[in-house]
Amino acid sequence: MIPAVEANADGLIGPTHSYAGLSPGNLASSLNKGEASNPRAAILQGLDKMKRLADLGLPQFVLPPHERPNIPFLRSLGFTGSDAAVLERAWKDAPSFAAAACSASPMWAANAATVTPSADAADGRVHFTPANLVTNLHRSLEHAQTKRSLNALFPDSTRFAVHDALSPVAHLADEGAANHVRLCAEHGSPGVNLLVWGRDAFETWDGPYPARQTRQASEAIARRHGASGAVLAQQSRAAIAGGTFHNDVVCVGALGTLFHHDLAFEDTAGTHAAIQAAAKGFDPIFVEVSSADLPLADAISSYLFNSMLVSLPGEDRLTLICPTETRDNPRSHAVAQSLTASNGPIGRVEYVDVRQSMRNGGGPACLRLRVVLTEAELAATNPAMRLTDDLHARLSAWADRHYRERLTPADLADPALIEESRTALDQLAPLLGLGSGFYPFQRN
Ligand code: SUG
């Protein structure tokens, strides 16, 4: 076994962070539709969360925001003239498309891709499939630029394989790592890859909210990555109906521990048994929270499970990094406290403030893409995208210069936002070592 560590790559929150109510089935997104956002507070919260992880000893990387408003997308719909005219006309004639073109949704890096570490991949490389995110219009605009970001961070094709997204069709709807959990004895040893799907592509889906991941998409990813230890499990229909739009809203895992709500899976006993059968060299531990202790609605509003479950250097037990909303909910807080009071695998709970993102349904786990890397793979990443204290300070100062403190969905129609956010991204690119031409507007 080659030793490996867990690294995280977080999406840097973009200048158009807003509450546009774009995600049916994501209750926070619907509930906060129309509210004013604070993009500057949002990015600073995200940066502080990244720094916290770096300070705890985990390698931390930054994924750049995408160009928004997405003028090339609006032009592809037939809007013409100056960029300002395109945006203005689109807001008049096709406001839903205009809103999608302005979303800062690439911040939720758990949906950037599904990742298979080299220990599990048939060819010994780390594999990435950017998620096509076809269920939601605004998110379907991400995957091509996400692939560019992943190529920038993982440039060495002898060690890293960055695939294209699966074909962007409903049959292959894919939401990335938000529906994937890897369990293992140690990060560098072969793992179990739990891939959770919501619907079968060839069966009628009649739930009240979309099921965003198809079984066939999960299967295709395991196949193209050559992933060993793949276990496919169905997300519970009740969970989706209750607002669990991704499995990571009710489930998180690390090393040998799977921490989940009792409504996470359609067949909990069968899922546990399949994981046990696939586990090599370790006995999985299931920490299941009952609906009696934590009703699904509380799990969703408090995001107890959308936490980062991490193994910190020098610590025997795992640490759960929860949003402050978990502490504010008496039931979730009680569950969190009972975890650490028990002799179970989770020894510590910490809280981070990511409230701006939470109001769109994005907790600490949504904001990060986990990538297990060996020392040699870590050395082959782009060092300019690694968060150091210095980069944290530079990015914070950059955000202070360029980000608004208040943005309503109506403000997204302001043509000044185009130049404002391009100027910001143009100045960001060198900070992250991204060549000029990384953004579409830089190539024109
Ligand atoms: O896809 N919210 C995102 C939240 C993604 C959370 N990710 C994970 N659970 N891994 C989504 O629903 C809302 C945007 C808006 O309404 O303006 C949004 O896209």
Side-chain angles (χ1 to χ4, degrees):
M1 182 199 72
I2 305 174
V5 294
E6 174 184 319
N8 287 290
D10 279 45
L12 197 59
I13 295 170
T16 59
H17 159 65
S18 51
Y19 301 122
L22 302 178
S23 289
N26 168 346
L27 304 183
S29 155
S30 304
L31 198 70
N32 294 309
K33 176 178 181 167
E35 300 270 300
S37 61
N38 182 337
R40 193 188 297 177
I43 184 174
L44 296 176
Q45 289 169 0
L47 277 167
D48 287 352
K49 189 266 244 189
M50 293 187 223
K51 179 163 160 39
R52 187 88 161 265
L53 269 291
D55 289 346
L56 288 169
L58 299 194
Q60 177 69 52
F61 295 95
V62 179
L63 291 170
H66 295 192
E67 175 183 341
R68 298 288 182 269
N70 189 336
I71 301 295
F73 169 63
L74 296 176
R75 286 193 186 280
S76 79
L77 303 178
F79 295 105
T80 54
S82 66
D83 290 341
V86 165
L87 188 65
E88 195 184 350
R89 202 70 231 172
W91 273 105
K92 274 212 184 83
D93 294 356
S96 300
F97 284 98
C102 292
S103 174
S105 58
M107 69 170 80
W108 297 296
N111 307 116
T114 307
V115 185
T116 300
S118 51
D120 298 348
D123 68 358
R125 293 188 295 169
V126 186
H127 285 252
F128 302 84
T129 289
N132 60 30
L133 298 167
V134 287
T135 303
N136 286 297
L137 175 63
H138 65 297
R139 304 225 59 185
S140 72
L141 308 178
E142 297 176 28
H143 63 85
Q145 185 69 16
T146 296
K147 185 178 177 194
R148 256 178 230 121
S149 300
L150 293 172
N151 275 325
L153 178 53
F154 304 107
D156 178 353
S157 62
T158 66
R159 297 190 181 279
F160 306 115
V162 180
H163 300 263
D164 284 329
L166 295 174
S167 295
V169 293
H171 288 79
L172 292 170
D174 172 30
E175 297 277 321
N179 293 320
H180 171 231
V181 182
R182 179 173 186 264
L183 300 178
C184 54
E186 291 174 64
H187 291 307
S189 56
V192 175
N193 288 289
L194 176 65
L195 296 152
V196 183
W197 53 274
R199 68 181 165 91
D200 187 290
F202 298 98
E203 288 172 10
T204 309
W205 175 255
D206 56 3
Y209 297 131
R212 296 197 195 181
Q213 181 90 24
T214 67
R215 174 187 194 126
Q216 287 73 9
S218 301
E219 286 170 349
I221 288 167
R223 209 161 31 230
R224 58 156 55 171
H225 290 191
S228 58
V231 169
L232 276 281
Q234 184 177 1
Q235 196 180 359
S236 95
R237 299 174 66 86
I240 298 172
T244 306
F245 55 98
H246 290 132
N247 177 60
D248 71 2
V249 172
V250 285
C251 175
V252 61
L255 297 180
T257 299
L258 190 70
F259 175 49
H260 68 88
H261 192 266
D262 67 359
L263 284 179
F265 307 109
E266 194 61 34
D267 173 8
T268 305
T271 302
H272 287 182
I275 292 170
Q276 266 155 344
K280 303 261 179 315
F282 70 103
D283 289 321
I285 303 171
F286 302 108
V287 181
E288 183 174 336
V289 178
S290 72
S291 297
D293 286 338
L294 187 66
L296 183 65
D298 290 85
I300 294 172
S301 63
S302 71
Y303 262 33
L304 169 67
F305 300 95
N306 198 261
S307 300
M308 301 176 68
L309 188 57
V310 289
S311 162
L312 297 177
E315 294 196 12
D316 294 342
R317 295 166 83 199
L318 299 169
T319 296
L320 190 68
I321 298 172
C322 300
T324 46
E325 283 78 354
T326 298
R327 193 176 50 196
D328 297 343
N329 177 306
R331 289 192 174 113
S332 294
H333 191 224
V335 173
Q337 288 195 301
S338 70
L339 290 173
T340 54
S342 77
N343 277 335
I346 301 172
R348 179 144 71 107
V349 179
E350 296 219 356
Y351 296 94
V352 289
D353 177 0
V354 288
R355 284 179 193 277
Q356 284 288 320
S357 168
M358 280 288 288
R359 286 190 201 134
N360 259 333
C366 298
L367 287 161
R368 61 91 174 98
L369 184 68
R370 270 188 296 200
V371 189
V372 165
L373 298 169
T374 65
E375 209 174 302
E377 289 158 356
L378 193 56
T381 56
N382 179 351
M385 294 170 82
R386 184 157 178 179
L387 192 85
T388 56
D389 285 352
D390 180 54
L391 184 61
H392 176 270
R394 282 164 184 264
L395 291 174
S396 303
W398 166 83
D400 280 337
R401 267 197 309 280
H402 295 286
Y403 278 51
R404 296 192 190 186
E405 286 185 286
R406 183 183 153 86
L407 196 65
T408 63
D411 295 333
L412 294 170
D414 176 3
L417 207 54
I418 304 174
E419 254 339 282
E420 217 173 285
S421 87
R422 285 182 182 168
T423 303
L425 297 180
D426 215 28
Q427 297 193 9
L428 171 70
L431 294 180
L432 297 179
L434 304 166
S436 70
F438 179 75
Y439 286 109
F441 73 87
Q442 294 175 319
R443 296 196 287 274
N444 290 336

